[in-house]
Amino acid sequence: MKKLKSIALMTLFVSASLFFTSCESDSSDENESNTSTGDYWPTAVGNQWILDQNGTETSMKIIATEKVNGDTYFKFDQFAGAGSGAEGTAKASIKKINGDYYIKMDEVVYDYGEYTGKMTGYEFIFFKDYLEVNKTWTGNYSQETSFNIPNFPKVKTNVSYTGTILEKGASVTVKNVTYKDVVKFKFRLEAKVEGGDGATASDIEYWIAKDVGVIKMTMGSTVSQLVTYTLK
């Protein structure tokens, strides 16, 4: 049982790192103008990004749109570096409102052979393009993970996150291509399983270029870099 709890928590961080529940909330530094300063993740059906993650290329493409409560979400065929793997699979989508970039992860379905399970989906603010250097935004959400094991309790995980703008207006070279108007930010996740001991923390750094999207991401020894992209 402890192993399954550990797997559920580990998968949470894989899913969240590159991301709707009733418990979701968000706040940011006061006195900030909620006016977008440009498009840092172009969204149109057919847009595609190919990233190299430690030597393995992964494609991420917008394949459809979906209306949810009046908002338009752009759905990915897969989310590079997140939401899929040996443990579970999920679909991801993005929406943008006045400079706030939301990532929504659908329910995650697990298959460990003899064990199957699912984890509730979630949504969070991934990026705020109008914040100045050193400004932050925060939020939290809750998830439940369950397995097809008799008498095995549901695992509830409470997650809090903090985003911090580290640099703006930079020129960054990735894979021999120089991108201008780049924002670098850090995203810190802290998760605690109810009934567990302590919390688990993870820091991810992103470089996101105006009119391009994410060009680089680092999480520990994992490095993802943009190889090529196509915009419609």
Side-chain angles (χ1 to χ4, degrees):
M1 291 185 182
K2 289 184 178 179
K3 181 179 180 181
L4 284 175
K5 285 188 178 183
S6 297
I7 290 172
L9 184 58
M10 178 184 69
T11 305
L12 162 70
F13 280 111
V14 175
S15 300
S17 65
L18 229 158
F19 44 263
F20 180 78
T21 67
S22 60
C23 298
E24 191 269 342
S25 66
D26 183 87
S27 63
S28 59
D29 286 337
E30 296 180 357
N31 302 319
E32 291 293 337
S33 174
N34 190 16
T35 302
S36 177
T37 57
D39 192 351
Y40 285 83
W41 199 327
T43 47
V45 175
N47 285 3
Q48 183 177 32
W49 299 263
I50 296 176
L51 297 134
D52 180 330
Q53 181 172 304
N54 289 1
T56 300
E57 289 192 358
T58 303
S59 171
M60 179 170 58
K61 186 175 183 178
I62 295 177
I63 58 173
T65 61
E66 178 184 28
K67 283 282 189 179
V68 179
N69 297 325
D71 294 329
T72 299
Y73 288 81
F74 292 83
K75 300 180 72 67
F76 297 98
D77 58 347
Q78 61 179 353
F79 206 55
S84 63
E87 291 84 18
T89 58
K91 295 297 183 182
S93 54
I94 184 174
K95 76 173 180 181
K96 297 177 292 187
I97 300 178
N98 297 327
D100 291 342
Y101 297 64
Y102 295 76
I103 297 295
K104 183 168 76 73
M105 301 296 296
D106 293 341
E107 180 182 82
V108 179
V109 178
Y110 298 96
D111 186 355
Y112 301 103
E114 62 179 310
Y115 300 130
T116 60
K118 61 183 179 180
M119 181 171 65
T120 54
Y122 55 95
E123 179 173 2
F124 63 95
I125 296 186
F126 169 72
F127 174 55
K128 292 175 176 276
D129 68 29
Y130 50 86
L131 293 183
E132 296 300 325
V133 173
N134 295 324
K135 296 298 184 178
T136 63
W137 67 98
T138 62
N140 58 80
Y141 53 85
S142 298
Q143 295 176 284
E144 267 193 356
T145 305
S146 58
F147 295 93
N148 65 334
I149 302 173
N151 301 318
F152 186 83
K154 292 182 178 180
V155 179
K156 186 173 182 179
T157 307
N158 298 311
V159 183
S160 62
Y161 61 87
T162 301
T164 305
I165 303 296
L166 301 178
E167 190 175 2
K168 297 194 76 172
S171 292
V172 178
T173 300
V174 176
K175 295 287 187 180
N176 298 317
V177 177
T178 299
Y179 300 91
K180 297 181 179 180
D181 293 317
V182 175
V183 177
K184 179 183 178 182
F185 65 97
K186 180 174 71 175
F187 203 80
R188 181 173 180 81
L189 290 158
E190 295 186 18
K192 179 175 175 57
V193 175
E194 287 193 358
D197 297 326
T200 303
S202 180
D203 290 314
I204 311 107
E205 289 189 345
Y206 294 91
W207 290 255
I208 188 166
K210 191 173 183 179
D211 299 322
V212 177
V214 175
I215 60 172
K216 184 178 178 180
M217 179 197 80
T218 63
M219 180 179 178
S221 61
T222 299
V223 179
S224 295
Q225 300 181 85
L226 184 64
V227 177
T228 185
Y229 65 98
T230 302
L231 303 179
K232 300 296 184 180

